[in-house]
Amino acid sequence: MSESLLDIRNLNVSFQTFAGTVNAVRGVSLTLEKGETLALVGESGSGKSVTCRSVMGLLSKNATIEQGEILFRGSNLLAKSDKEMQRIRGKEISMIFQNPMTALNPTMTIGKQVAEPLRLHQKFSRTAARRQAQELLELVGIPSSTKRLNDYPHQFSGGQRQRIVTAIALACGPEILIADEPTTALDVTIQAQILELLKELRHTTSIIFITHDLGVVANVADRVAVMYGGRIVEIGKVEEIFYNPQHPYTWGLLRSMPTLDDKDGELYAIPGSPPDLLSPAPGDLFATRNEYALQVDAHYEPPLFQVSPTHYAATWLLDDRAPSVIVPEAIAARRQYYRQRQTGLTAKEGLL
Amino acid sequence: MTFFKFILKRLAFMLATLFLISTITFLLMNFLPGSPYQNEEKLTPVQRQMMNEKYGLDKPAGERYLIYLSGLAKGDLGISLQFGNQPVSKLLSSRIGPSIQLGLQAMLLGTVAGIILGTISAMYQNSFIDTFASLSAIIGRSIPNFIFAVLLQLVFAVSLKWLPIALWDDGFRSTILPTLALAIAPMADAARFIRTEMIEVLNSDYAELAKAKGQSKVRIAFVHGLRNALIPLITIIGPMTVGLMTGSLVVENIFAIPGIGEQFVKSIVTNDYATIMSVTLLYSVLLVVIILIVDILYGLIDPRIRLAGAKQ
Amino acid sequence: MTTNISDLLRVEGLTQTFKSGTGIVKAVDNISFSVYEGETFGLVGESGCGKSTTGRTIIQLYKPAAGSIFFDGVNLSGLRGKKNWLQFRRDVQMIYQDPYASLNPRNKIKDILGEGIDVHKLAKGAKNRNRQVAELLETVGLNPDHANRYPHELSGGQRQRVGIARALSVQPRLIICDEPISALDVSIQAQIVNLLKKLQQEKRLTLLFIAHDLSMVKYISDRIAVMYRGKIVELGDARKIYHSPLHPYTESLLSCIPYPDPDLEKNRRRIIYHHHEEASGSLHQIFPDHYVYCRPSDVAFYQQKGASKEAGGLDLVSITPTNTGILEGVVE
């Protein structure tokens, strides 16, 4: 089996806070292949941001990597010194952050900010970097005359700023782009534009896309990892996750999205609140909110069960000894579509 | 509004402020006890009457005020009665050089050293360096600069004999100790301000983005951070200047520097009205000009302020 | 506009402007709409469209530059007297977007909730007041013990519930919800929306729901108005607008919302809206209770468009009228 581009193995990260130790990431393993877009889905506290920040080496000072390896093209990033990581950041692995309004330095021209990685990593001269910066901005859809390069971030809208941030991230042609909720703060029409931009990149750059919006996931992702309470609870190809979901949390997420064609009635809401990672309860952290919880969930955390060579879910429901459950209606409808789809009988046009 | 209109508006305000200050100064001088003449007690009433007539001091206050104002407009600051009857303007112009040199040196040293200190403190927050720097800043702020002046004299001039105790005409050497004494307070202020601002800047999203680009810690602080952290510091340059001006009064005396501050002290002690009023006015002009420069500097450093009124 | 049920809130020709750098920006440009008593009216649009400004003007945080606001038949610009204003402040309440910023961190929850009760003298004595506070907490699904806590001890969702309780504490008739869920986690959003729906039914409230999350707005609203650049471009029944949008901007907006359905997403095409300054336009009735911003001459076109959509002919494609070049929906 050929080597994955990125291979995270059993990552465990904890934070020291005033209130105590928080285990933010508890044994996360995933891979990213060349040319694919992997979506990391989860809510606050799920550990998705911390996982990606660990890859970049951008964790805060009170974080400890307890265990695990992050292999990038075979070598462990966690074993590298900060100086070595500086050479990788912005050059081979780049990151886009959530808030475009605060991501750019307000007192530096955007031309300089876009040119910076080029001058830093690839030793471009000032004029060459400027020229390349202009091309990069055109690439991300910011028509840029030389005059525009001298403008400051506050002269651009939120959507434009996010494009500039993307240009910066792409400047040195990185192998991996990590996008941490890049469209959450943007309007829906601007979001659509940014997503299109990212999809154009899929052939040259592998992308890890963090979000909590399942609609966005369906739009951009090849594979999906659903995270809860610091662990991956389900991972698989995008069609497997959306049409054949196995984990009750995934069911809950899918059901609580109001889609434009809902029948009237109450919107499904996952009961309860996100888990307390300061003093986590024993067993499965999702158990208290899980209407399909089994007795064993209160004692033992479920391991990842295989559904297909590409699809795994961490739920005791998949154990051979588990009783069969009646799946919610919306999920059953999805599964039915999935079965039809697999047989090739229906065209792949979606659930509607 | 355009830059030109902005300057015009500010100049108008400056003139109004100066007018107010000169009036208040005049009123204060007039109602203070004491006599403007040397050896007042030896004068006979007749002699005093003659002197009053000669210098126009027998006229009513209102008339004297108008004469004073018209004189100001022409650049005539009056006659210094206590110091050889020379025009005040001549008296001051010969002394302004040392004060300006000292002031600028202290300002430069104070801000540059303070910025570097503050940045390093912020970069290594809560480390030993940071604690040491913060303590130094507190000490620097609390101890008056004339005590530093005397301490510096004691250590470097008397004990080590490296530098002159109180001399002016020995070239650059003689300015070192007084500059140091004056620079300590601005340095402390600058360091504290920059440290606070820089910590916030270093925690900002764009600092994180810079790190994600692969920038080193030092470059993030100095290339990205500094311009942003500088903005609040500019605000206190005005008050800092005032501090330097008042500080120079005592420091110049201690180091026997023939500057305006020293002259000012002498004038106050001898009730030399014309000089007192002129120096007060001079300081006011200086401050008002500095405030204008600060506002212009804001626009230069922070592009958001500069372009706020410009067309998109 | 005909008023069959009573208008609790009526906005006529509302305009709001702000000074900006060089000139004046029209945040809200001559809009008119009514909110019937007991309904949820959704105000939808992207950032900068003027929806939040509208909400804040209604609650009188700003004075309108032009136009009138009528609450329960009374023109607010003519409202005089402390007693009348106090009553208005009771009748119309607001829930804010940021649950972290809208609660005073120095006050305990019971003081935050008690403030309104005290101002309007709704409780006789401390015991009664405390009981009201406890009841409010239970109504919004919080443990009454939370009364003695401080905001920072609560989660975002819990704080937003406190915000709702605060609005309810003075027994209002109309609650303006200004993006009440955008700052919350996805699973909590559904909870809050369900709570608002339940409260509306139980207490017979009228809600003005301002948001940019179109799916949520459609779920909770009876009627909605779509805003763009200060104008209302489409107004009508929520379901109808989502199933057969008429104005090209509404179509563009709806085409950009991603579905949790990968196969569908692969086949979808986004509709881009090209904006032209339609100076001579205003809201015209196309169908009963369905209005579109256009010129009078375009009404027939829209009626035809709507009819074709009902018949199931059009899907995500928009058509251009043959007589004018103003309306353009381009399929990408």
Side-chain angles (χ1 to χ4, degrees):
Chain A
M1 182 170 115
S2 62
E3 189 178 75
S4 302
L5 183 59
L6 186 72
D7 189 352
I8 303 178
R9 293 185 184 170
N10 196 24
L11 184 64
N12 278 275
V13 183
S14 67
F15 287 88
Q16 285 298 346
T17 67
F18 284 123
T21 312
V22 175
N23 290 313
V25 178
R26 304 178 302 123
V28 166
S29 301
L30 55 83
T31 58
L32 179 71
E33 310 300 330
K34 200 155 156 52
E36 76 168 346
T37 299
L38 170 73
L40 274 188
V41 181
E43 299 174 292
S44 35
S46 58
K48 54 194 198 300
S49 273
V50 176
T51 306
C52 292
R53 280 194 148 81
S54 308
V55 173
M56 291 284 282
L58 286 179
L59 292 171
S60 52
K61 286 191 210 105
N62 60 339
T64 319
I65 299 191
E66 311 268 356
Q67 230 190 349
E69 295 178 308
I70 299 182
L71 300 178
F72 174 56
R73 279 199 260 113
S75 62
N76 187 4
L77 294 178
L78 296 177
K80 289 192 192 287
S81 70
D82 197 43
K83 266 222 146 31
E84 290 172 311
M85 282 306 291
Q86 275 176 27
R87 272 180 248 134
I88 295 180
R89 274 184 229 131
K91 180 160 187 264
E92 299 175 66
I93 308 180
S94 288
M95 196 154 174
I96 308 178
F97 297 97
Q98 177 174 349
N99 191 347
M101 303 307 270
T102 54
L104 295 169
N105 188 335
T107 56
M108 207 190 259
T109 62
I110 60 152
K112 242 178 132 185
Q113 295 192 56
V114 176
E116 197 177 349
L118 294 166
R119 302 207 64 203
L120 183 66
H121 294 293
Q122 298 181 333
K123 307 286 181 251
F124 273 48
S125 72
R126 194 165 332 158
T127 29
R130 235 177 119 75
R131 222 180 310 128
Q132 182 73 345
Q134 205 169 336
E135 279 181 38
L136 280 164
L137 287 171
E138 297 273 358
L139 188 74
V140 297
I142 302 227
S144 49
S145 57
T146 28
K147 189 190 157 296
R148 208 68 170 125
L149 284 177
N150 291 332
D151 282 341
Y152 289 89
H154 68 272
Q155 296 171 274
F156 295 88
S157 70
Q160 288 174 318
R161 286 190 226 193
Q162 199 63 307
R163 290 170 193 269
I164 296 173
V165 168
T166 309
I168 294 174
L170 296 175
C172 299
E175 302 215 39
I176 300 180
L177 175 66
I178 302 178
D180 191 349
E181 307 231 32
T183 56
T184 306
L186 301 173
D187 277 328
V188 127
T189 46
I190 310 292
Q191 169 174 275
Q193 292 172 19
I194 300 286
L195 292 180
E196 263 169 38
L197 175 62
L198 290 175
K199 281 191 285 191
E200 279 169 33
L201 298 170
R202 19 165 54 126
H203 304 292
T204 46
T205 317
S206 314
I207 304 177
I208 299 181
F209 196 106
I210 303 177
T211 179
H212 61 259
D213 185 336
L214 287 176
V216 167
V217 175
N219 188 291
V220 295
D222 300 311
R223 280 170 62 227
V224 183
V226 181
M227 289 185 71
Y228 187 84
R231 295 178 73 216
I232 294 184
V233 295
E234 189 158 6
I235 183 167
K237 287 199 273 192
V238 66
E239 55 268 16
E240 290 171 322
I241 298 291
F242 279 90
Y243 302 132
N244 193 21
Q246 300 295 321
H247 195 284
Y249 179 59
T250 317
W251 296 346
L253 286 180
L254 288 167
R255 291 168 70 198
S256 62
M257 276 199 76
T259 49
L260 299 184
D261 43 90
D262 256 347
K263 305 173 192 31
D264 284 327
E266 199 172 273
L267 184 66
Y268 176 76
I270 304 178
S273 346
D276 179 8
L277 293 172
L278 206 56
S279 38
D284 185 12
L285 286 184
F286 185 59
T288 50
R289 308 172 73 185
N290 184 2
E291 44 186 282
Y292 297 93
L294 304 171
Q295 267 198 339
V296 62
D297 281 308
H299 301 281
Y300 297 103
E301 246 186 336
L304 282 167
F305 289 90
Q306 179 171 357
V307 182
S308 84
T310 49
H311 185 184
Y312 294 79
T315 167
W316 286 116
L317 293 175
L318 287 174
D319 191 298
D320 296 324
R321 300 162 282 179
S324 52
V325 290
I326 302 175
V327 163
E329 196 189 310
I331 306 299
R334 286 181 181 261
R335 287 196 176 170
Q336 196 187 15
Y337 173 75
Y338 185 65
R339 282 190 289 271
Q340 292 172 331
R341 192 181 181 276
Q342 294 299 87
T343 60
L345 281 176
T346 40
K348 294 182 184 171
E349 275 173 357
L351 293 163
L352 294 179
Chain B
M1 75 179 67
T2 64
F3 190 62
F4 181 63
K5 267 201 245 171
F6 169 72
I7 296 284
L8 233 63
K9 193 169 163 199
R10 289 301 296 273
L11 279 173
F13 272 115
M14 280 160 69
L15 278 169
T17 311
L18 290 172
F19 174 72
L20 205 64
I21 292 178
S22 55
T23 308
I24 294 175
T25 315
F26 177 84
L27 289 169
L28 280 173
M29 287 318 309
N30 260 277
F31 296 117
L32 279 175
S35 157
Y37 303 119
Q38 269 174 332
N39 300 318
E40 162 84 28
E41 54 279 2
K42 294 202 189 131
L43 293 172
T44 65
V46 176
Q47 283 173 318
R48 201 182 304 137
Q49 180 64 19
M50 279 169 61
M51 301 274 269
N52 280 345
E53 269 181 36
K54 181 169 182 214
Y55 293 110
L57 287 168
D58 55 342
K59 301 204 178 79
E63 211 180 313
R64 277 188 282 135
Y65 177 58
L66 289 170
I67 296 175
Y68 164 67
L69 280 183
S70 64
L72 279 182
K74 283 182 270 172
D76 172 14
L77 298 169
I79 307 283
S80 166
L81 296 177
Q82 302 287 12
F83 298 101
N85 286 349
Q86 50 177 316
V88 173
S89 40
K90 183 149 163 267
L91 180 67
L92 293 181
S93 58
S94 64
R95 286 176 156 259
I96 205 168
S99 293
I100 288 190
Q101 180 183 354
L102 212 56
L104 280 175
Q105 277 177 207
M107 181 74 102
L108 218 67
L109 176 65
T111 44
V112 170
I115 289 174
I116 296 179
L117 219 68
T119 306
I120 296 179
S121 284
M123 280 169 64
Y124 299 102
Q125 195 183 349
N126 294 331
S127 67
F128 174 71
I129 301 176
D130 182 21
T131 319
F132 178 71
S134 299
L135 268 171
S136 311
I138 295 176
I139 295 176
R141 223 346 161 169
S142 328
I143 300 183
N145 53 13
F146 52 83
I147 295 196
F148 271 122
V150 174
L151 275 172
L152 286 169
Q153 278 178 326
L154 201 64
V155 173
F156 290 102
V158 175
S159 307
L160 297 172
K161 295 199 170 46
W162 286 353
L163 296 166
I165 296 181
L167 188 64
W168 183 246
D169 291 321
D170 198 13
F172 183 68
R173 271 186 87 223
S174 48
T175 67
I176 293 180
L177 289 183
T179 304
L180 270 174
L182 279 176
I184 292 193
M187 175 156 51
D189 282 343
R192 274 191 319 136
F193 253 82
I194 290 285
R195 179 184 181 276
T196 311
E197 283 312 307
M198 189 61 88
I199 287 178
E200 204 178 296
V201 162
L202 289 176
N203 283 326
S204 70
D205 284 349
Y206 57 86
E208 190 174 38
L209 191 81
K211 195 170 175 201
K213 279 189 209 175
Q215 278 288 23
S216 68
K217 208 169 172 182
V218 172
R219 283 192 64 104
I220 294 176
F222 282 99
V223 172
H224 279 271
L226 202 54
R227 200 165 160 185
N228 289 289
L230 225 43
I231 297 165
L233 185 64
I234 305 282
T235 321
I236 64 165
I237 286 190
M240 218 190 251
T241 313
V242 175
L244 280 175
M245 289 193 282
T246 52
S248 70
L249 296 184
V250 185
V251 168
E252 280 181 16
N253 258 280
I254 293 179
F255 287 100
I257 294 173
I260 297 214
E262 201 225 1
Q263 178 63 45
F264 197 30
V265 172
K266 286 199 238 174
S267 306
I268 293 172
V269 166
T270 54
N271 261 331
D272 190 8
Y273 291 143
T275 315
I276 294 173
M277 289 188 343
S278 304
V279 176
T280 308
L281 215 56
L282 185 68
Y283 277 171
S284 312
V285 170
L286 189 63
L287 189 59
V288 159
V289 168
I290 296 252
I291 291 177
L292 178 66
I293 293 178
V294 163
D295 282 344
I296 296 176
L297 268 177
Y298 267 135
L300 280 173
I301 294 190
D302 190 344
R304 290 170 289 188
I305 296 175
R306 187 197 315 169
L307 298 163
K311 264 213 179 118
Q312 275 280 346
Chain C
M1 270 176 240
T2 52
T3 53
N4 35 2
I5 321 162
S6 68
D7 293 348
L8 186 58
L9 177 73
R10 191 166 84 245
V11 170
E12 275 177 17
L14 185 65
T15 304
Q16 192 59 278
T17 54
F18 290 111
K19 269 199 246 183
S20 125
T22 39
I24 298 185
V25 170
K26 266 196 185 158
V28 180
D29 192 356
N30 194 14
I31 63 169
S32 306
F33 64 93
S34 298
V35 178
Y36 306 144
E37 186 151 19
E39 76 165 342
T40 300
F41 189 90
L43 201 51
V44 143
E46 301 186 288
S47 45
C49 70
K51 55 191 194 297
S52 277
T53 311
T54 304
R56 296 199 191 128
T57 310
I58 291 174
I59 205 167
Q60 299 292 296
L61 280 172
Y62 314 128
K63 262 189 134 52
S68 321
I69 303 172
F70 295 86
F71 181 71
D72 210 7
V74 176
N75 189 334
L76 291 180
S77 57
L79 204 63
R80 300 268 178 275
K82 186 173 169 189
K83 187 154 156 274
N84 288 328
W85 271 106
L86 217 57
Q87 185 62 38
F88 174 72
R89 293 262 167 251
R90 258 191 84 180
D91 288 336
V92 182
Q93 280 288 310
M94 197 154 179
I95 299 172
Y96 300 91
Q97 175 176 2
D98 189 347
Y100 294 90
S102 57
L103 300 179
N104 188 339
R106 308 224 186 286
N107 286 348
K108 287 191 183 169
I109 302 297
K110 69 173 183 202
D111 295 320
I112 295 175
L113 294 181
E115 199 176 348
I117 297 175
D118 290 338
V119 166
H120 295 280
K121 301 192 179 43
L122 297 173
K124 311 170 197 58
K127 209 156 154 226
N128 184 249
R129 181 193 193 259
N130 289 340
R131 191 171 54 79
Q132 284 192 25
V133 167
E135 274 174 17
L136 280 167
L137 286 171
E138 279 179 348
T139 310
V140 297
L142 288 173
N143 193 321
D145 292 345
H146 290 336
N148 282 315
R149 295 213 196 151
Y150 287 94
H152 67 263
E153 297 176 63
L154 304 181
S155 71
Q158 290 173 319
R159 281 189 235 202
Q160 197 61 307
R161 289 175 193 263
V162 170
I164 297 175
R166 176 173 60 180
L168 290 175
S169 66
V170 296
Q171 296 150 27
R173 295 173 66 189
L174 168 70
I175 300 185
I176 302 178
C177 311
D178 189 359
E179 305 256 20
I181 54 174
S182 5
L184 302 173
D185 259 334
V186 162
S187 66
I188 309 295
Q189 286 185 8
Q191 290 179 14
I192 299 293
V193 165
N194 281 337
L195 173 65
L196 284 170
K197 238 187 159 180
K198 184 183 86 145
L199 288 171
Q200 188 210 10
Q201 282 166 357
E202 280 176 16
K203 305 205 178 269
R204 272 179 286 243
L205 294 169
T206 309
L207 296 181
L208 177 62
F209 197 90
I210 302 173
H212 65 266
D213 185 341
L214 309 167
S215 322
M216 275 300 183
V217 174
K218 176 253 186 185
Y219 171 71
I220 198 178
S221 309
D222 300 305
R223 292 185 310 137
I224 63 169
V226 180
M227 284 187 76
Y228 179 73
R229 292 209 192 175
K231 296 190 173 49
I232 295 181
V233 296
E234 193 157 350
L235 189 153
D237 176 70
R239 261 138 234 82
K240 267 196 104 203
I241 289 189
Y242 278 79
H243 287 296
S244 24
L246 294 180
H247 192 280
Y249 174 68
T250 318
E251 290 180 310
S252 159
L253 205 55
L254 291 173
S255 76
C256 290
I257 304 174
Y259 276 65
D261 187 342
D263 289 342
L264 179 71
E265 284 294 304
K266 281 192 187 28
N267 295 327
R268 268 177 100 196
R269 290 284 171 266
R270 178 161 72 93
I271 299 177
I272 297 186
Y273 176 63
H274 296 282
H275 179 69
H276 300 263
E277 280 306 320
E278 296 157 33
S280 58
S282 71
L283 272 183
H284 292 278
Q285 181 168 7
I286 308 296
F287 298 108
D289 251 359
H290 193 163
Y291 301 81
V292 173
Y293 186 91
C294 59
R295 300 172 311 178
S297 45
D298 299 319
V299 173
F301 161 70
Y302 278 117
Q303 285 176 330
Q304 215 188 359
K305 184 171 176 181
S308 326
K309 285 201 173 185
E310 284 296 305
L314 295 176
D315 197 359
L316 296 167
V317 179
S318 179
I319 56 177
T320 53
T322 48
N323 53 345
T324 68
I326 273 193
L327 304 153
E328 249 186 87
V330 174
V331 176
E332 274 275 306

